[in-house]
């Protein structure tokens, strides 16, 4: 992809992430989203840095220190943990270093990837015994949340609580977040989320429970949302991949940007 394409993708990916991370919080009474041209701050009201975060920074050099300090101070006053997501389009260019100097620590790093859905081969059979359902009911959303919560040891109960609180919104026809659960029999074993927004779709929460990995479930849960996105008229998908997962997505046709 050209540099122009990469910049466009970075901006689109940021916009999609803001919807993924904050659409429900913006609409629930106990939660809030504070957004302006420079920054987005999302507060779920829960003591969980999965749903409390800062992102899409477009900070001028003259005000960067002030805005960084104010954002960090907000969560300090609220006594809630948070995470700050730094993306390729964020400004200033040395934002990551500035956050370290402000007292934050680097927790994790992921790779930004994108794909042209017109060039992907998505019509592969699902692994034997796997049934993929798009979430339509509170029970299915609980199954989704249970798999996602199992990313922590022990499973994080606040992940379950967030999806319980947000369920009426996330299950509404207006929701831009589409959720998927992969089942073996009646057991939920894998998940994915697709956020549809603007000119791209974003793939998130591709998770498989321990004990069910390396059986192709993650690949199947990646492909099915993209099939649905293509059917809905979208042609570009973005995602954030771990170093280990990048090779898996690369085989599907995703590339770094």
């Amino acid at each position: 992809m050209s540099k122009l394409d990469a910049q466009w993708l970075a901006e689109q990916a940021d916009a999609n992430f803001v919807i993924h991370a904050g659409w429900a919080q913006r609409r629930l009474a106990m939660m809030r989203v504070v957004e302006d041209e420079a920054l987005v701050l999302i507060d779920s009201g829960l003591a969980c840095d999965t749903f409390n975060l800062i992102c899409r920074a477009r900070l001028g050099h003259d005000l960067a220190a002030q805005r960084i300090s104010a954002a960090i101070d907000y969560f300090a006053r609220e006594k809630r943990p948070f995470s700050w997501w730094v993306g390729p389009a964020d400004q200033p260019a040395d934002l990551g270093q500035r956050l370290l100097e402000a007292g934050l620590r680097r927790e994790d790093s992921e790779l930004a990837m994108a794909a042209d859905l017109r060039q992907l081969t998505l019509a592969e059979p699902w692994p034997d015994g796997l049934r993929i359902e798009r979430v339509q009911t509170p029970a299915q959303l609980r199954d989704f949340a249970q798999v996602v919560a199992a990313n922590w040891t022990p499973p994080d109960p606040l992940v379950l609580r967030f999806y319980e609180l947000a369920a009426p919104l996330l299950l509404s026809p207006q929701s831009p977040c589409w959720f998927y659960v992969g089942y073996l029999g009646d057991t939920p074993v894998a998940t994915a989320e697709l956020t549809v927004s603007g000119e791209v779709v974003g793939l998130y929460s591709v998770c498989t429970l321990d004990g069910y990995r390396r059986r192709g479930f993650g690949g199947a849960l990646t492909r099915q949302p993209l099939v649905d996105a293509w059917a809905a008229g979208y042609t570009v998908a973005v995602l954030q991949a771990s170093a280990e997962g990048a090779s898996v997505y690369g085989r599907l046709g995703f590339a770094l940007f």
Side-chain angles (χ1 to χ4, degrees):
M1 297 180 181
S2 70
K3 289 184 177 180
L4 178 62
D5 292 330
Q7 182 61 34
W8 180 83
L9 285 167
E11 294 288 351
Q12 292 293 319
D14 273 1
N16 189 274
F17 182 77
V18 169
I19 298 298
H20 154 74
W23 187 83
Q25 287 94 315
R26 195 185 296 272
R27 290 161 174 80
L28 287 168
M30 67 172 288
M31 306 182 186
R32 65 185 305 212
V33 175
V34 181
E35 180 176 3
D36 59 26
E37 293 181 357
L39 206 62
V40 177
L41 183 151
I42 299 169
D43 180 6
S44 70
L46 302 171
C48 182
D49 63 10
T50 302
F51 304 109
N52 301 332
L53 54 99
I54 303 165
C55 61
R56 208 217 64 204
R58 304 294 187 268
L59 304 176
H61 282 275
D62 53 340
L63 293 178
Q66 176 184 337
R67 292 301 303 268
I68 289 169
S69 178
I72 293 173
D73 287 348
Y74 169 88
F75 282 109
R77 289 194 305 273
E78 298 296 329
K79 297 182 172 58
R80 281 194 279 277
F82 71 97
S83 57
W84 192 312
W85 288 72
V86 179
D90 279 350
Q91 295 295 327
D94 63 345
L95 177 61
Q97 181 58 39
R98 287 173 179 253
L99 295 180
L100 293 175
E101 293 170 357
L104 302 188
R105 69 179 186 275
R106 190 185 306 276
E107 186 71 19
D108 201 358
S109 180
E110 295 184 329
L111 302 171
M113 304 187 78
D116 184 337
L117 298 182
R118 296 168 293 189
Q119 299 177 4
L120 300 191
T121 302
L122 298 173
E124 296 184 16
W126 295 342
D128 289 345
L130 182 68
R131 182 180 83 258
I132 300 177
E133 296 183 1
R134 181 168 165 190
V135 169
Q136 304 289 342
T137 69
Q140 290 173 320
L141 190 60
R142 284 194 296 273
D143 289 341
F144 173 92
Q146 287 172 356
V147 174
V148 173
N151 281 316
W152 291 266
T153 304
D156 188 345
L158 291 177
V159 171
L160 303 177
R161 180 60 175 156
F162 172 81
Y163 286 105
E164 179 185 16
L165 291 169
L169 284 166
L170 296 176
L171 295 172
S172 70
Q174 294 76 33
S175 175
C177 305
W178 303 354
F179 301 95
Y180 296 80
V181 180
Y183 293 90
L184 282 182
D186 294 328
T187 303
V189 298
T191 61
E193 176 194 334
L194 191 78
T195 295
V196 295
S197 172
E199 298 183 59
V200 305
V201 297
L203 195 64
Y204 306 94
S205 301
V206 179
C207 305
T208 304
L209 291 178
D210 279 340
Y212 297 94
R213 294 175 180 169
R214 302 189 183 281
R215 296 168 63 174
F217 297 161
L221 265 294
T222 297
R223 292 194 303 274
Q224 184 56 49
L226 298 179
V227 168
D228 291 350
W230 171 252
Y234 290 91
T235 59
V236 178
V238 295
L239 57 80
Q240 300 157 0
S242 65
E244 180 182 356
S247 61
V248 176
Y249 295 121
R251 289 194 292 272
L252 289 174
F254 281 83
L256 299 175
F257 68 87

